[in-house]
Amino acid sequence: EHASIPPRIFCAAMLLYRKRFAPGAATLDIRTLTDEINSPGRVFDLTQRQVRDILEEIKNLGLLYVESRAGLDQVRIREDDDFLNMVRCYYEEFGC
């Protein structure tokens, strides 16, 4: 059994992943987030179902959009979010 990953922490990991491995990408494929080396899903040792559940929580916080287009499931992250801001919001526990 895995410990629960807070949605903002997973989102921060996604932002860091995008910055390092997909700079400038407007969207990230969900399969990439679960399967690629250094991806948040692999780092936190999560199944695709667990990643999708966390993404749903993040979506409900209004931090990203989940899109299905042309057979691809992907997430679109708000442009103004960054890793440090997401972590700061998590530790300050206020709605950013």
Side-chain angles (χ1 to χ4, degrees):
E1 185 70 23
H2 290 86
S4 177
I5 308 298
R8 288 189 192 279
I9 296 302
F10 190 86
C11 192
M14 279 192 331
L15 292 166
L16 190 59
Y17 177 82
R18 180 180 70 171
K19 181 178 180 178
R20 289 188 179 167
F21 299 102
T27 62
L28 292 171
D29 183 65
I30 293 175
R31 187 170 299 273
T32 297
L33 294 173
T34 60
D35 298 341
E36 291 297 316
I37 294 172
N38 297 316
S39 69
R42 294 276 299 264
V43 168
F44 292 118
D45 191 29
L46 301 172
T47 65
Q48 191 172 97
R49 177 76 263 152
Q50 289 169 315
V51 169
R52 288 179 180 277
D53 290 345
I54 292 172
L55 291 174
E56 185 66 24
E57 291 180 60
I58 296 168
K59 183 183 96 172
N60 291 338
L61 291 172
L63 300 175
L64 60 74
Y65 309 99
V66 177
E67 303 174 343
S68 293
R69 293 185 183 182
L72 292 175
D73 290 333
Q74 56 192 10
V75 295
R76 180 175 302 278
I77 302 166
R78 294 186 327 195
E79 291 181 28
D80 58 340
D81 279 335
D82 69 359
F83 171 79
L84 289 177
N85 185 49
M86 193 62 58
V87 172
R88 185 178 304 113
C89 288
Y90 171 74
Y91 281 108
E92 291 178 355
E93 295 185 21
F94 66 89
C96 293

